Amino acid sequence: MTAYTTPIVKDRFSELEEEFQYEIIQIGLFHKEPPLINHNIFMNHFKILFFQKGHCRAVVKDQEYQLTAGDLLLVPVNTFYTVNSLGSETIEFVFIHFLVRPVHKISAFVESLHLTQVIKLQNMVTPSLLTYLKSCSERVSQQREGSYLEAMLLLKSILLNIRIRLDKGECAKPTPHGCSGKEAVLNQCLDYLQQHLDENLSVSTLCELCHVSQSYLYRCFTQLIAMPPSRFIQYFKIQRSLEMLKNTELSIADIAEKTGFSSLVVFSSTFKSLMGISPSQYRKQ
């Protein structure tokens, strides 16, 4: 009797994935009867959408993606996009929202997937995958023992398959889309906020950047993401501070500085007004 053994060697994708840790925020099912008109979305985490039914259009900056059953959409952190339904069929998809850890690895994760905007893969979502996603979501919602680990292993498997498909050049190409003036202003502000997080940003700074009045900037933010620009600047900075409080050993004073607050007092006051507790209390929890 002859026995054959194959040595296990780490491949490049496996080595790459070892750099990143993930935290799943939510897994669930979205179900909506048309019409879905100009549904504006902005979230400070990554998300994967697995389409089961329906037909809709997602517009990200000046690019348009048509989505239907079998499509997968990977959306990067801090991305604003608009969704519209197409046709009369019910829209249904499973979603996974997740974070990349540690925080300073987010840019490396984005770069590793060339995730400059969004990624659309066709014929990625099979009936068996959808069935497993839904059952996994149900077990997570019921807080069954081992359900989070099961969801984490599923996420890693999906990300590995995305890397394999991208390596084969299978990413679907978007079509150009002329975004509105308000959308262009909002996207410009979002890009600036991400690149200048450590600065003491103001509404007037964003107005000068976009060459618009404060009243017009206010309309852009409130109409698209239902939040005035001054509040959004605070929200954006506090959300980033949450990641640092949770996943780094930086002092609260250092975090206040890295998120562009003028002083520790201002940071603590803003944090408590938005979160209901102080930064030190959040870190202890």
Side-chain angles (χ1 to χ4, degrees):
M1 180 177 178
T2 304
Y4 297 94
T5 59
T6 303
I8 298 178
V9 180
K10 287 184 183 178
D11 56 88
R12 58 192 176 99
F13 286 160
S14 299
E15 289 182 341
L16 187 60
E17 278 298 320
E18 286 185 345
E19 294 184 28
F20 312 113
Q21 300 173 23
Y22 305 106
E23 177 184 342
I24 296 177
I25 301 173
Q26 191 176 16
I27 178 171
L29 176 68
F30 178 88
H31 181 99
K32 178 73 170 62
E33 300 291 336
L36 186 64
I37 302 173
N38 290 334
H39 183 50
N40 299 318
I41 304 168
F42 175 85
M43 294 183 183
N44 63 324
H45 50 255
F46 295 89
K47 69 195 81 172
I48 305 177
L49 310 180
F50 308 85
F51 280 82
Q52 179 179 13
K53 294 180 182 178
H55 188 197
C56 64
R57 175 180 63 216
V59 176
V60 186
K61 294 187 178 178
D62 57 352
Q63 301 293 324
E64 177 182 310
Y65 300 81
Q66 299 254 345
L67 302 162
T68 190
D71 290 345
L72 176 149
L73 191 72
L74 172 57
V75 184
V77 63
N78 297 328
T79 298
F80 168 77
Y81 64 103
T82 301
V83 178
N84 292 277
S85 58
L86 300 172
S88 58
E89 189 179 3
T90 300
I91 297 171
E92 189 170 292
F93 58 82
V94 180
F95 59 85
I96 298 178
H97 295 180
F98 67 98
L99 293 169
V100 174
R101 304 297 189 200
V103 175
H104 67 269
K105 287 287 188 179
I106 291 176
S107 58
F109 175 77
V110 169
E111 185 178 348
S112 73
L113 288 169
H114 304 289
L115 190 54
T116 54
Q117 200 148 291
V118 303
I119 289 173
K120 174 191 170 185
L121 293 170
Q122 297 173 303
N123 304 316
M124 180 87 174
V125 185
T126 63
S128 58
L129 175 59
L130 279 168
T131 299
Y132 189 59
L133 280 163
K134 290 178 180 178
S135 63
C136 183
S137 173
E138 184 178 352
R139 286 190 287 275
V140 168
S141 66
Q142 295 171 351
Q143 297 184 340
R144 300 239 190 121
E145 292 294 333
S147 59
Y148 183 84
L149 175 59
E150 181 183 8
M152 183 62 68
L153 293 173
L154 177 58
L155 172 62
K156 289 186 174 184
S157 175
I158 290 165
L159 289 171
L160 174 60
N161 281 313
I162 289 174
R163 291 189 187 280
I164 292 170
R165 293 282 297 272
L166 291 177
D167 194 53
K168 294 178 181 179
E170 297 182 13
C171 184
K173 302 297 183 183
T175 56
H177 180 89
C179 61
S180 69
K182 290 186 177 67
E183 291 171 340
V185 167
L186 179 62
N187 284 317
Q188 189 175 5
C189 290
L190 292 176
D191 289 341
Y192 190 83
L193 285 168
Q194 293 186 68
Q195 296 167 14
H196 299 82
L197 179 68
D198 60 345
E199 298 179 11
N200 187 15
L201 300 173
S202 66
V203 174
S204 59
T205 301
L206 298 181
C207 289
E208 291 174 9
L209 170 73
C210 302
H211 305 291
V212 298
S213 65
Q214 290 199 16
S215 60
Y216 184 78
L217 190 72
Y218 179 88
R219 290 197 298 274
C220 292
F221 274 79
T222 54
Q223 290 179 16
L224 294 175
I225 55 177
M227 190 182 298
S230 57
R231 192 67 168 172
F232 182 80
I233 293 172
Q234 294 179 337
Y235 166 82
F236 187 87
K237 288 176 173 291
I238 293 302
Q239 289 297 319
R240 295 296 293 273
S241 75
L242 294 177
E243 299 172 6
M244 296 182 194
L245 286 166
K246 187 175 181 180
N247 298 288
T248 74
E249 299 298 324
L250 290 170
S251 69
I252 294 176
D254 286 340
I255 292 173
E257 181 179 352
K258 287 183 176 295
T259 49
F261 285 91
S262 58
S263 70
L264 178 57
V265 173
V266 174
F267 170 66
S268 298
S269 174
T270 305
F271 190 99
K272 191 166 186 177
S273 70
L274 288 175
M275 302 303 299
I277 57 175
S278 69
S280 57
Q281 288 174 322
Y282 178 84
R283 174 165 269 176
K284 288 177 182 177
Q285 290 180 1

